[in-house]
Amino acid sequence: MVEDWLGTDLDRWTRRVVRRHFDPRTGSPYWLRRAAELDFDPRDITRHEQLTAFGPFPLDVLRSQDPSELVPLAVPRPLTGRVWDSGGTTGTPCRVFYTPDMLLHRGAWRRWSFVSEGFLPHRTWLQATPTGPHLIGNGVWEAAELHAGQVYGIDMDPRWVKRLIRAGRLADANEYTTHLLEQIVDVLGLGSVHYLNTTPAILQVLRQRHPDAVAALDGVRLSGTQISPDMYRDFVTALRGGICGLSYGNTFGNAAGLPVGDEGEPLAYAPNYPQVTMAVVGKEDWSTTVAYGAAGQVRLTVLHDDLFLPNVLERDQALRHDCGDAWPCDGVANVRPLQITSSAPEGLY
């Protein structure tokens, strides 16, 4: 399945998705309304690079409108499935509806990453990531159903931590971190967990307070922007031969970690092509791609049959990464928050 996706012509895929969402009879209600405001006919688009004509996608749409408005009417109504929330770092959470095909796409890429990184099937996982409305929590299903594992979980509300940080209640935020670690150590203490799926921030504290628990693992898989090459090297050392897998992304789209060099740099990621592409653009000019190896803002484009989000300007910065012949599009490397402020804290993620 993944091999077929990687062989997809991106321009042809772009035409397919755009025409589906702008079909006058079966397109998505939101994009059909937007079409009347555009000074071009979206159905005339023939190349992926032409998607810049739509301008940056207004994320307030995902904060205020019914997520079903972005799903083509070609998907039978009433819709059945989950609405997922973003973390709400920069304001009210964004919400998107995932059809079964979208979840399968994400899950297939996750399983591909598990296999590529060396995580074995029929093992026991602990999923210590945001839960509730957060898509990363769906990793329980991905590890259990798609990778034949048994999975434990914990309770984690990243919005509460961010609220505490915004209010300057750092002691309370630290107490919440301790609460999470107690849950994690309780499960790890059973002695039957092989792999841990968590965030870099949590693993950092876990290895400092409970190094033996980390050393006993066969591997960890990390999702989040708070990881540097130095942290990666520390994690590899703490695991004492265990696997350290990486992924990057959010509720809209994800990227798989690429093999890391002996020196732990760069930490590169390739998007879940062709439904997700990522560009690194100038911080002052979102429409211009920077040179390979240069830093800029991450621009995400989502091209699912059932969800079209062009030119999402992320709150992250990265280096533009050349994936070579191994990937049909650019990747990103050494991702980190574009800016951390008291009003938009990273918290535990």
Side-chain angles (χ1 to χ4, degrees):
M1 186 177 292
V2 167
E3 288 72 18
D4 291 339
W5 288 331
L6 289 176
T8 300
D9 179 82
L10 186 55
D11 290 336
R12 184 169 66 247
W13 183 262
T14 298
R15 292 192 293 270
R16 162 182 166 150
V17 171
V18 171
R19 289 170 187 176
R20 175 177 170 87
H21 282 268
F22 286 93
D23 184 282
R25 294 184 304 105
T26 59
S28 53
Y30 167 78
W31 284 114
L32 290 177
R33 290 195 300 270
R34 277 286 308 274
E37 305 169 0
L38 300 173
D39 59 2
F40 64 95
D41 187 341
R43 291 171 296 178
D44 291 338
I45 284 179
T46 59
R47 301 188 309 279
H48 181 267
E49 64 186 28
Q50 293 175 315
L51 294 176
T52 55
F54 287 101
F57 185 81
L59 289 179
D60 281 346
V61 169
L62 305 181
R63 296 185 171 104
S64 60
Q65 294 198 17
D66 183 341
S68 66
E69 295 287 286
L70 283 104
V71 180
L73 295 174
V75 180
R77 265 51 173 185
L79 295 176
T80 302
R82 278 292 300 267
V83 174
W84 300 99
D85 286 15
S86 68
T89 298
T90 57
T92 304
C94 297
R95 297 179 174 89
V96 294
F97 181 89
Y98 263 63
T99 62
D101 284 346
M102 292 171 64
L103 284 176
L104 181 60
H105 173 263
R106 173 190 155 88
W109 270 113
R110 292 273 289 181
R111 186 183 182 281
W112 179 89
S113 292
F114 293 157
V115 173
S116 300
E117 292 163 346
F119 292 97
L120 299 174
H122 309 293
R123 297 297 191 272
T124 301
W125 290 74
L126 169 57
Q127 182 82 13
T129 60
T131 50
H134 303 290
L135 185 57
I136 185 61
N138 201 54
V140 170
W141 170 75
E142 292 158 355
E145 298 297 325
L146 298 182
H147 205 52
Q150 178 179 333
V151 187
Y152 291 89
I154 68 167
D155 288 322
M156 179 178 173
D157 179 0
R159 293 180 193 162
W160 180 244
V161 180
K162 292 170 184 175
R163 181 173 179 175
L164 294 175
I165 294 173
R166 289 188 185 104
R169 297 166 56 186
L170 300 185
D172 291 332
N174 289 333
E175 184 176 355
Y176 189 82
T177 300
T178 299
H179 166 65
L180 295 177
L181 291 181
E182 288 174 348
Q183 296 181 67
I184 293 170
V185 172
D186 178 56
V187 176
L188 295 183
L190 299 173
S192 58
V193 173
H194 302 93
Y195 302 135
L196 171 66
N197 190 3
T198 191
T199 72
I202 291 178
L203 183 61
Q204 182 79 302
V205 181
L206 182 65
R207 78 169 183 89
Q208 292 168 350
R209 300 189 191 178
H210 304 278
D212 290 343
V214 174
L217 292 166
D218 293 334
V220 297
R221 197 154 199 284
L222 302 173
S223 302
T225 59
Q226 292 191 68
I227 182 167
S228 66
D230 285 343
M231 288 173 65
Y232 177 83
R233 288 189 287 269
D234 288 342
F235 293 156
V236 170
T237 299
L239 284 164
R240 300 179 188 174
I243 302 166
C244 187
L246 303 172
S247 66
Y248 161 65
N250 54 31
T251 310
F252 311 134
N254 291 274
L258 297 176
V260 181
D262 293 338
E263 299 300 319
E265 193 170 0
L267 302 182
Y269 309 86
N272 294 358
Y273 181 93
Q275 288 91 341
V276 178
T277 61
M278 294 176 178
V280 180
V281 300
K283 297 177 183 179
E284 305 300 328
D285 180 5
W286 69 269
S287 64
T288 301
T289 304
V290 301
Y292 284 114
Q297 185 172 9
V298 178
R299 187 184 74 204
L300 171 73
T301 289
V302 178
L303 283 167
H304 281 284
D305 279 334
D306 300 333
L307 182 66
F308 173 52
L309 302 176
N311 310 317
V312 176
L313 298 181
E314 295 282 32
R315 57 181 178 84
D316 303 325
Q317 64 179 347
L319 307 179
R320 183 184 178 193
H321 183 73
D322 184 356
C323 296
D325 296 334
W327 225 261
C329 64
D330 282 351
V332 297
N334 293 3
V335 180
R336 60 189 178 91
L338 193 64
Q339 184 178 26
I340 297 177
T341 65
S342 58
S343 62
E346 286 297 299
L348 293 166
Y349 202 63

Short mmCIF file of all heavy atoms in Angstrom, two decimals, residues 243-271:
data_model
loop_
_atom_site.label_atom_id
_atom_site.label_comp_id
_atom_site.label_asym_id
_atom_site.label_seq_id
_atom_site.Cartn_x
_atom_site.Cartn_y
_atom_site.Cartn_z
N ILE A 243 15.45 0.68 20.49
CA ILE A 243 15.08 1.49 19.32
C ILE A 243 14.57 2.85 19.78
O ILE A 243 13.84 2.95 20.76
CB ILE A 243 13.97 0.78 18.52
CG1 ILE A 243 14.42 -0.61 18.08
CG2 ILE A 243 13.54 1.61 17.32
CD1 ILE A 243 13.27 -1.47 17.60
N CYS A 244 14.93 3.90 19.03
CA CYS A 244 14.36 5.22 19.25
C CYS A 244 13.77 5.71 17.93
O CYS A 244 14.49 6.21 17.06
CB CYS A 244 15.41 6.20 19.77
SG CYS A 244 14.72 7.81 20.26
N GLY A 245 12.47 5.51 17.76
CA GLY A 245 11.79 5.92 16.54
C GLY A 245 11.17 7.30 16.69
O GLY A 245 10.86 7.73 17.81
N LEU A 246 10.99 8.00 15.57
CA LEU A 246 10.51 9.37 15.58
C LEU A 246 9.38 9.58 14.58
O LEU A 246 9.36 8.94 13.51
CB LEU A 246 11.64 10.34 15.24
CG LEU A 246 12.89 10.31 16.11
CD1 LEU A 246 13.97 11.20 15.50
CD2 LEU A 246 12.58 10.76 17.53
N SER A 247 8.48 10.49 14.90
CA SER A 247 7.50 10.96 13.92
C SER A 247 7.21 12.42 14.22
O SER A 247 7.49 12.91 15.32
CB SER A 247 6.21 10.14 13.96
OG SER A 247 5.53 10.31 15.18
N TYR A 248 6.67 13.11 13.22
CA TYR A 248 6.36 14.53 13.38
C TYR A 248 5.02 14.79 12.70
O TYR A 248 4.73 14.22 11.65
CB TYR A 248 7.44 15.39 12.72
CG TYR A 248 7.00 16.82 12.44
CD1 TYR A 248 6.69 17.68 13.47
CD2 TYR A 248 6.87 17.28 11.12
CE1 TYR A 248 6.28 18.98 13.22
CE2 TYR A 248 6.47 18.57 10.86
CZ TYR A 248 6.16 19.43 11.91
OH TYR A 248 5.73 20.71 11.65
N GLY A 249 4.22 15.63 13.31
CA GLY A 249 2.95 15.97 12.68
C GLY A 249 1.94 16.46 13.68
O GLY A 249 2.26 16.80 14.83
N ASN A 250 0.70 16.50 13.23
CA ASN A 250 -0.39 16.97 14.09
C ASN A 250 -1.70 16.39 13.59
O ASN A 250 -1.71 15.41 12.83
CB ASN A 250 -0.42 18.51 14.10
CG ASN A 250 -0.49 19.10 12.70
OD1 ASN A 250 -1.07 18.52 11.78
ND2 ASN A 250 0.11 20.27 12.52
N THR A 251 -2.80 16.99 13.99
CA THR A 251 -4.12 16.48 13.64
C THR A 251 -4.37 16.51 12.14
O THR A 251 -5.17 15.73 11.62
CB THR A 251 -5.21 17.32 14.35
OG1 THR A 251 -4.88 17.42 15.74
CG2 THR A 251 -6.58 16.69 14.21
N PHE A 252 -3.67 17.39 11.41
CA PHE A 252 -3.93 17.55 9.99
C PHE A 252 -3.12 16.57 9.14
O PHE A 252 -3.62 16.02 8.15
CB PHE A 252 -3.60 18.98 9.55
CG PHE A 252 -4.21 20.03 10.43
CD1 PHE A 252 -3.46 21.11 10.85
CD2 PHE A 252 -5.52 19.94 10.86
CE1 PHE A 252 -4.00 22.08 11.68
CE2 PHE A 252 -6.08 20.91 11.68
CZ PHE A 252 -5.31 21.98 12.09
N GLY A 253 -1.84 16.38 9.49
CA GLY A 253 -1.00 15.54 8.66
C GLY A 253 0.29 15.17 9.38
O GLY A 253 0.72 15.88 10.30
N ASN A 254 0.90 14.08 8.94
CA ASN A 254 2.05 13.55 9.65
C ASN A 254 3.21 13.23 8.72
O ASN A 254 3.04 13.14 7.49
CB ASN A 254 1.65 12.30 10.42
CG ASN A 254 0.70 12.61 11.57
OD1 ASN A 254 1.13 12.94 12.66
ND2 ASN A 254 -0.60 12.53 11.31
N ALA A 255 4.37 13.01 9.33
CA ALA A 255 5.58 12.65 8.60
C ALA A 255 6.32 11.58 9.38
O ALA A 255 6.34 11.59 10.62
CB ALA A 255 6.47 13.88 8.41
N ALA A 256 6.91 10.65 8.65
CA ALA A 256 7.64 9.54 9.25
C ALA A 256 9.10 9.91 9.45
O ALA A 256 9.71 10.56 8.60
CB ALA A 256 7.54 8.30 8.36
N GLY A 257 9.66 9.48 10.56
CA GLY A 257 11.07 9.73 10.82
C GLY A 257 11.94 8.94 9.87
O GLY A 257 11.69 7.77 9.59
N LEU A 258 12.98 9.57 9.33
CA LEU A 258 13.96 8.90 8.47
C LEU A 258 15.14 8.44 9.32
O LEU A 258 15.35 8.93 10.43
CB LEU A 258 14.42 9.86 7.38
CG LEU A 258 13.33 10.34 6.41
CD1 LEU A 258 13.89 11.37 5.44
CD2 LEU A 258 12.72 9.16 5.64
N PRO A 259 15.93 7.48 8.83
CA PRO A 259 17.08 7.00 9.61
C PRO A 259 18.00 8.15 10.03
O PRO A 259 18.29 9.05 9.24
CB PRO A 259 17.78 6.05 8.63
CG PRO A 259 16.69 5.56 7.74
CD PRO A 259 15.76 6.74 7.56
N VAL A 260 18.43 8.09 11.28
CA VAL A 260 19.27 9.14 11.84
C VAL A 260 20.74 8.72 11.72
O VAL A 260 21.09 7.56 11.96
CB VAL A 260 18.92 9.39 13.32
CG1 VAL A 260 19.78 10.51 13.89
CG2 VAL A 260 17.44 9.74 13.45
N GLY A 261 21.60 9.65 11.35
CA GLY A 261 23.02 9.36 11.19
C GLY A 261 23.69 9.03 12.52
O GLY A 261 23.11 9.20 13.60
N ASP A 262 24.92 8.57 12.44
CA ASP A 262 25.67 8.16 13.62
C ASP A 262 25.83 9.30 14.62
O ASP A 262 25.92 9.08 15.83
CB ASP A 262 27.04 7.64 13.21
CG ASP A 262 26.96 6.33 12.43
OD1 ASP A 262 25.93 5.64 12.57
OD2 ASP A 262 27.92 6.02 11.70
N GLU A 263 25.87 10.52 14.12
CA GLU A 263 26.05 11.67 15.02
C GLU A 263 24.71 12.21 15.54
O GLU A 263 24.68 13.23 16.24
CB GLU A 263 26.81 12.78 14.29
CG GLU A 263 28.20 12.39 13.83
CD GLU A 263 29.08 11.97 15.00
OE1 GLU A 263 29.02 12.64 16.05
OE2 GLU A 263 29.81 10.97 14.86
N GLY A 264 23.62 11.55 15.18
CA GLY A 264 22.32 11.99 15.68
C GLY A 264 21.78 13.21 14.99
O GLY A 264 20.94 13.93 15.54
N GLU A 265 22.25 13.48 13.75
CA GLU A 265 21.78 14.67 13.05
C GLU A 265 21.90 14.45 11.54
O GLU A 265 22.86 13.79 11.09
CB GLU A 265 22.61 15.88 13.47
CG GLU A 265 22.00 17.20 13.05
CD GLU A 265 22.71 18.40 13.69
OE1 GLU A 265 23.67 18.19 14.45
OE2 GLU A 265 22.30 19.51 13.41
N PRO A 266 20.99 14.95 10.75
CA PRO A 266 19.79 15.66 11.19
C PRO A 266 18.68 14.70 11.61
O PRO A 266 18.73 13.51 11.30
CB PRO A 266 19.38 16.44 9.93
CG PRO A 266 19.77 15.51 8.81
CD PRO A 266 21.06 14.88 9.26
N LEU A 267 17.70 15.26 12.31
CA LEU A 267 16.49 14.50 12.62
C LEU A 267 15.49 14.84 11.52
O LEU A 267 14.83 15.88 11.55
CB LEU A 267 15.94 14.90 13.99
CG LEU A 267 16.91 14.73 15.18
CD1 LEU A 267 16.22 15.11 16.48
CD2 LEU A 267 17.44 13.30 15.25
N ALA A 268 15.42 13.98 10.52
CA ALA A 268 14.66 14.29 9.30
C ALA A 268 13.37 13.47 9.24
O ALA A 268 13.31 12.33 9.74
CB ALA A 268 15.51 14.02 8.07
N TYR A 269 12.37 14.04 8.58
CA TYR A 269 11.06 13.41 8.45
C TYR A 269 10.56 13.57 7.02
O TYR A 269 10.79 14.62 6.39
CB TYR A 269 10.05 14.07 9.40
CG TYR A 269 10.51 14.18 10.83
CD1 TYR A 269 11.28 15.27 11.25
CD2 TYR A 269 10.19 13.22 11.78
CE1 TYR A 269 11.71 15.40 12.56
CE2 TYR A 269 10.61 13.33 13.10
CZ TYR A 269 11.37 14.42 13.47
OH TYR A 269 11.80 14.54 14.77
N ALA A 270 9.87 12.55 6.53
CA ALA A 270 9.27 12.60 5.20
C ALA A 270 7.76 12.47 5.34
O ALA A 270 7.27 11.58 6.04
CB ALA A 270 9.81 11.46 4.32
N PRO A 271 6.99 13.35 4.69
CA PRO A 271 5.53 13.34 4.88
C PRO A 271 4.86 12.10 4.32
O PRO A 271 5.38 11.44 3.43
CB PRO A 271 5.09 14.61 4.15
CG PRO A 271 6.18 14.92 3.19
CD PRO A 271 7.45 14.43 3.81
#
